[in-house]
């Protein structure tokens, strides 16, 4: 359940990228990872940016570049949140992908 537009933090995971978590440099250094990326700001003319993201992901063909060949599933969608799980083809690893907007 989404309580705020903040997404989960990386908590030191080396395969995690975040626009909201682990914002303090000292926290990122403590964990030894620095995958903090800038927040995406949709174009001002985009009236439904999260729905646009959902449409783009829905058209994504799994297996591009030899990754996520196991496909993906939309786990949860609300007016302000999208949560997907992508699966690796060979070992079945699951990668969580979240998008959130201020409601």
């Amino acid at each position: 359940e989404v309580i705020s537009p903040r997404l989960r933090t990386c908590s030191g995971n080396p395969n995690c990228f975040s626009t909201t978590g682990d914002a303090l440099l000292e926290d990122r250094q403590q964990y030894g990872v620095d995958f903090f990326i800038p927040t995406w700001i949709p174009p001002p003319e985009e009236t439904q940016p999260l729905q646009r993201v959902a449409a783009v992901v829905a058209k994504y063909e799994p297996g591009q570049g030899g990754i996520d060949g196991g496909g993906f599933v939309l786990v949860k969608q609300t007016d302000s949140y999208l949560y997907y799980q992508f699966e690796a083809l060979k070992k079945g690893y699951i990668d969580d992908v979240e998008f959130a907007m201020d409601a």
Side-chain angles (χ1 to χ4, degrees):
E1 178 177 339
V2 178
I3 307 226
S4 74
R6 291 185 54 87
L7 305 175
R8 289 180 270 178
T9 64
C10 287
S11 301
N13 294 323
N15 58 344
C16 181
F17 298 89
S18 177
T19 59
T20 60
D22 305 331
L24 298 176
L25 177 60
E26 57 267 23
D27 290 343
R28 298 192 317 264
Q29 289 173 334
Q30 173 187 346
Y31 290 127
V33 295
D34 191 1
F35 296 118
F36 187 66
I37 58 176
T39 301
W40 175 66
I41 300 172
E45 66 275 6
E46 182 60 64
T47 59
Q48 297 183 316
L50 201 59
Q51 289 76 9
R52 169 79 112 189
V53 170
V56 169
V57 173
K59 291 180 181 179
Y60 177 75
E61 295 182 31
Q64 296 183 39
I67 58 170
D68 63 42
F72 68 94
V73 63
L74 175 60
V75 176
K76 184 170 184 172
Q77 180 175 10
T78 70
D79 290 341
S80 61
Y81 178 76
L82 295 170
Y83 171 38
Y84 296 91
Q85 289 184 332
F86 287 78
E87 183 177 356
L89 180 61
K90 293 185 178 181
K91 296 195 178 189
Y93 293 119
I94 300 294
D95 288 316
D96 298 307
V97 179
E98 296 177 289
F99 301 93
M101 301 282 301
D102 291 329

